[in-house]
Amino acid sequence: MKPKTRVAAVKTRSSRGSAVDAVVEQIRALIADAGLKVGDNLPTERELCIQFNASRNTVREAMRIVKAYGLVDVRPKVGATITDNRMSRAFELFSFNTMEVSRKTFNDVQAFRDLLEVGSVDQLLDRLTDQDIEDLYGINNRLAEISDIQEASEVDYDFHTRLISILGNDAIMDVYKVMKPVVLRIMQKGKTRRSYKTETYSEHAGVIDALAARDRLAFQYRLRSHLMIGFKNFSEEMEAAV
């Protein structure tokens, strides 16, 4: 009874967030409470849909995020198997050698950033101060004055670094610094000089506005949408590699 009880509790706590966030938390609770170890299989996609009362698309997106985090390996006809590749996956994704960015790399990196930034919404709102909001607006305002895309990407990175600094977690900040080379590459390839002054500036402003209003759902929606902008600019090379 214990696994079911905790999964139900996670579902209740996550009802305020997106359906994908809820399923990600439920999968993690399921792994912990069922005592699953490396090599064990998760329930099938269909079983997870029924257990979590979620659509197939929602479960698939949640599994993609959990996979990017290094907790599971998903194989055709085998399903999801528990792994423990969190550190190796992080170094693979954020290596200085990861300069040729494919759609797969984009998806994996942005899913990891989603976990760090979007997934921390409750802690962010608990710790948020007026100075944090002022600093974020100040960093974003710099984008309107920049024409060089490399400089703009650095400011974009500074914005997201300042956002997660609100958490006051040195370990998370260290991980984000390791990510910097590939994150900058994604930013530079996925945007243009003009889009930084217009779209990126506007997207950041929307994220800050949602924070200032303490609007949890708006923050999650706007930040997640912002992270996925630029997907179309990446090649399909290696996309099928899993």
Side-chain angles (χ1 to χ4, degrees), residues 22-126:
V23 174
V24 168
E25 291 188 23
Q26 289 164 356
I27 291 173
R28 294 173 69 178
L30 175 64
I31 292 172
D33 290 335
L36 298 180
K37 298 179 176 60
V38 173
D40 291 342
N41 291 329
L42 281 176
T44 66
E45 182 179 281
R46 181 179 180 182
E47 290 170 339
L48 290 174
C49 289
I50 295 173
Q51 183 170 350
F52 300 147
N53 192 27
S55 70
R56 178 169 293 182
N57 286 340
T58 297
V59 169
R60 285 181 177 173
E61 177 67 11
M63 288 300 300
R64 182 180 68 80
I65 292 174
V66 175
K67 179 188 173 188
Y69 191 54
L71 290 177
V72 301
D73 183 25
V74 182
R75 301 178 185 176
K77 299 182 180 179
V78 175
T81 304
I82 305 300
T83 62
D84 191 10
N85 296 326
R86 286 168 289 181
M87 289 305 298
S88 61
R89 187 62 176 144
F91 280 111
E92 175 188 343
L93 286 175
F94 311 135
S95 164
F96 283 89
N97 296 323
T98 312
M99 291 292 103
E100 188 55 42
V101 183
S102 66
R103 286 187 180 180
K104 180 179 184 300
T105 304
F106 177 92
N107 274 332
D108 287 349
V109 171
Q110 299 305 75
F112 196 91
R113 293 178 66 197
D114 186 293
L115 283 169
L116 291 181
E117 300 182 42
V118 181
S120 299
V121 59
D122 289 327
Q123 296 94 319
L124 287 170
L125 293 179
D126 285 343

Side-chain angles (χ1 to χ4, degrees), residues 122-213:
D122 289 327
Q123 296 94 319
L124 287 170
L125 293 179
D126 285 343
R127 299 177 61 91
L128 187 67
T129 67
D130 291 341
Q131 185 62 54
D132 295 324
I133 296 296
E134 183 178 339
D135 288 351
L136 287 169
Y137 277 128
I139 294 172
N140 194 41
N141 287 338
R142 289 160 52 193
L143 283 179
E145 307 300 327
I146 296 175
S147 297
D148 180 79
I149 193 167
Q150 291 186 341
E151 186 179 354
S153 66
E154 289 280 356
V155 174
D156 193 359
Y157 176 82
D158 288 346
F159 176 87
H160 290 273
T161 302
R162 181 64 182 86
L163 176 66
I164 62 175
S165 74
I166 298 171
L167 298 173
N169 188 311
D170 291 339
I172 291 178
M173 288 299 297
D174 287 343
V175 169
Y176 210 78
K177 289 175 183 177
V178 173
M179 295 167 59
K180 184 175 181 178
V182 71
V183 169
L184 289 179
R185 177 64 174 159
I186 283 175
M187 289 173 171
Q188 292 165 8
K189 188 173 181 180
K191 301 174 183 178
T192 65
R193 287 178 297 177
R194 181 177 180 181
S195 68
Y196 264 116
K197 287 187 172 185
T198 55
E199 285 92 341
T200 303
Y201 174 86
S202 177
E203 291 157 15
H204 283 179
V207 169
I208 306 169
D209 290 345
L211 274 179

Side-chain angles (χ1 to χ4, degrees), residues 225-237:
S225 298
H226 167 64
L227 290 176
M228 293 309 295
I229 291 293
F231 173 78
K232 63 182 180 297
N233 295 327
F234 293 82
S235 70
E236 297 182 12
E237 182 183 357

